Amino acid sequence: MPPALRDETHLSSTGVCKFRGKMTANQAFDTLWINCHLATMAGSDPYGIVRNGALAARAGRIAWIGAMNELAGDPLSRSASVEDLGGAWITPGFIDCHTHLVYAGNRASEFELRLKGASYTEIARAGGGILSTVRAVRAATEDEIYAQSLPRLEAMMADGVTTLEIKSGYGLDTANEVKLLKVIRRLAEDTPLTILPTFLGAHTIPPEFKGRGDAYVQVVIEEMLPEIARRRLVSAVDGFCENIGFTLSQTRRILEAARAHGLSVKLHAEQLSDKKGAAMAASYRALSVDHLEYLATDDIPALVEGGCVAVLLPGAFYYLNETRKPPVDALRQAGVPMAVSTDANPGTSPVLSIRSMMNMACVLFGLTPAEALAGVTVNAARALGRQDDIGTLEIGKAADLAVWDVETPAELAYQLGGRPLRLLVKNGREVIASQSLRPGE
Ligand code: DI6
Ligand code: FE
């Protein structure tokens, strides 16, 4: 049992209940949500459905889940607050396990160039792409980057996100990478979200090291990584193993150094070409390998062996007009857990809606709506190494909940746009209440 559950003193109310019962000596819960359906994402059917159910939180954790008719006694006497959800659906709070959300500026002009026929690789080789965002980040202050990034986080929350990963990687020297990571840490302090920071110093070779990739990798390993590890700014390290990024052997050295610092690893692999990055990362027990359009099916057993999650990023596939799809059928058959994420970044995936990624994962990659929902909950938790704490609705896990005005959970992947989120609950507290304009609500 997590320690928080034993904390008898932490009986705070959410303060947003529609009606409130009397506190009694045997009161069991802080908040009880009743008359709802639950997609627990645990159990035998794909959604782990509990119909006509209820869920209770205490001290920030899920304390009870079940059918309404199993709820013994008077609910009012059991909980400090009780909220009637009138048939809405509860899912685990969504988890966006791969984002580059903290940056300065935007790249709409490159979007226009690509629409005229320039490729992402051509733009990158001409000094644009990631490097144009590096210039914007280096020219911006920490406060400016913070101010530009905060609304992006708020947009993510409006689509049900309660936990997300954010990578550095647009600073590409120690001072500027630390600047980005400090912004990420401030966002984690100032918002109710759980934010897991990742160091992506090996995103691309900065201009001052042009043609000297090995020398830059040495700086990443000998200077940047030790400083960032010393300051405890990250929990994981990522790299971009690609023709326009780092070679397989350079990437291997970075992952090896990260492991030596006790950090988890993950990798952008096989996005634009087959560099064998995914299998290499799996050999370092990477939490996830991400993108995978060019993954060879022969390399899938290595992912199984390494216990890696395959993170699918349909936004980048869509924006780049890519035609080669990740080998979803083979991944599914091999039992590799598939997560779905926004890859929110200013170049290849300027996307702030994780629900649209669920839709694209279905339409473009052939996932089922249940797989797409697993991709932003249970499997995304695993991609962050947080599966014991979040990602499913189970007793003892964090009470991170998204409450939706939908009739079936498949609607979450079916509809693009709209505002179906009714409530967002983080650690048992409601952090977004209804976005509805209906009278009386
Ligand atoms: N894959 C991506 O999707 C981003 N980096 C990467 O390796 C793109 C980042 C950008 O273009 O700014
Ligand atoms: Fe990415």
Side-chain angles (χ1 to χ4, degrees):
M1 183 187 286
L5 270 181
R6 294 193 297 267
D7 180 0
E8 298 295 332
T9 60
H10 190 255
L11 277 173
S12 60
S13 157
T14 60
V16 289
C17 59
K18 296 214 171 97
F19 54 95
R20 187 184 297 247
K22 284 198 308 268
M23 291 286 279
T24 65
N26 63 354
Q27 194 144 60
F29 310 131
D30 295 342
T31 309
L32 175 63
W33 291 273
I34 61 170
N35 290 324
C36 52
H37 307 297
L38 310 165
T40 65
M41 306 314 289
S44 49
D45 74 278
Y47 291 107
I49 288 178
V50 176
R51 279 187 191 279
N52 303 314
L55 183 151
R58 180 173 162 208
R61 317 296 296 188
I62 297 173
W64 192 85
I65 297 176
M68 284 293 286
N69 59 16
E70 294 163 6
L71 194 59
D74 171 13
L76 286 178
S77 70
R78 301 204 56 186
S79 185
S81 78
V82 179
E83 185 160 357
D84 187 335
L85 293 175
W89 277 83
I90 304 186
T91 65
F94 287 178
I95 300 163
D96 197 341
C97 66
H98 178 142
T99 88
H100 309 248
L101 206 77
V102 166
Y103 57 85
N106 75 71
R107 308 229 297 273
S109 57
E110 283 181 14
F111 175 62
E112 290 181 304
L113 284 177
R114 287 208 306 275
L115 290 172
K116 287 185 191 145
S119 76
Y120 181 65
T121 303
E122 283 161 6
I123 292 170
R125 292 225 157 100
I130 295 169
L131 288 180
S132 64
T133 303
V134 171
R135 286 190 288 276
V137 161
R138 288 180 174 183
T141 65
E142 195 181 304
D143 285 348
E144 285 164 348
I145 300 170
Y146 178 95
Q148 291 182 38
S149 302
L150 185 61
R152 293 194 276 266
L153 270 186
E154 288 167 346
M156 291 280 192
M157 287 173 70
D159 233 18
V161 170
T162 48
T163 296
L164 77 167
E165 183 256 22
I166 307 181
K167 304 171 196 296
S168 67
Y170 292 114
L172 306 186
D173 61 31
T174 305
N176 283 292
E177 286 292 302
V178 166
K179 179 167 77 180
L180 289 170
L181 291 166
K182 281 166 71 182
V183 172
I184 295 171
R185 185 157 69 185
R186 273 175 64 191
L187 290 166
E189 286 163 3
D190 295 354
T191 70
L193 298 166
T194 300
I195 301 181
L196 299 166
T198 296
F199 173 52
L200 179 57
H203 200 185
T204 197
I205 297 164
E208 56 278 18
F209 284 88
K210 192 168 179 190
R212 297 188 297 130
D214 282 341
Y216 178 62
V217 169
Q218 199 171 341
V219 171
V220 170
I221 292 172
E222 291 177 7
E223 188 185 313
M224 297 163 82
L225 194 50
E227 176 66 8
I228 282 158
R230 187 185 67 77
R231 290 175 176 241
R232 298 187 184 283
L233 282 167
V234 299
S235 48
V237 173
D238 192 353
F240 188 32
C241 185
E242 198 52 71
N243 291 328
I244 54 170
F246 296 85
T247 65
L248 187 68
S249 73
Q250 289 168 340
T251 310
R252 182 194 301 279
R253 278 158 53 206
I254 286 162
L255 300 194
E256 209 165 82
R259 296 300 274 156
H261 282 284
L263 296 167
S264 303
V265 298
K266 54 178 79 177
L267 192 64
H268 285 73
E270 275 73 86
Q271 179 186 8
L272 307 170
S273 59
D274 182 9
K275 289 262 146 323
K276 302 290 170 204
M280 183 277 289
S283 75
Y284 291 94
R285 300 205 73 75
L287 287 172
S288 70
V289 287
D290 303 32
H291 285 288
L292 305 180
E293 280 83 343
Y294 288 82
L295 179 72
T297 49
D298 289 355
D299 290 330
I300 292 177
L303 305 193
V304 176
E305 173 84 4
C308 303
V309 175
V311 178
L312 306 178
L313 303 166
F317 174 93
Y318 163 81
Y319 271 97
L320 294 178
N321 244 328
E322 180 58 70
T323 50
R324 167 102 170 214
K325 300 182 185 195
V328 163
D329 287 341
L331 288 164
R332 184 189 286 125
Q333 265 170 29
V336 176
M338 292 181 283
V340 173
S341 165
T342 58
D343 195 14
N345 77 67
T348 58
S349 194
V351 166
L352 297 175
S353 164
I354 198 162
R355 276 193 312 115
S356 14
M357 297 301 97
M358 293 169 67
N359 174 272
M360 288 189 189
C362 295
V363 174
L364 302 176
F365 292 168
L367 267 63
T368 66
E371 285 175 326
L373 188 55
V376 300
T377 55
V378 58
N379 292 344
R382 189 156 164 199
L384 296 176
R386 299 297 300 270
Q387 63 272 24
D388 293 339
D389 194 45
I390 51 175
T392 60
L393 304 179
E394 291 180 275
I395 290 175
K397 284 200 175 176
D400 287 4
L401 320 171
V403 180
W404 305 96
D405 281 318
V406 294
E407 287 176 16
T408 64
E411 281 173 56
L412 296 169
Y414 154 77
Q415 180 176 282
L416 279 176
R419 297 195 297 180
L421 184 75
R422 187 194 292 189
L423 294 175
L424 193 66
V425 176
K426 180 69 189 169
N427 293 325
R429 289 180 166 273
E430 293 187 11
V431 291
I432 298 184
S434 180
Q435 304 177 66
S436 161
L437 297 176
R438 280 171 297 185
E441 292 199 357

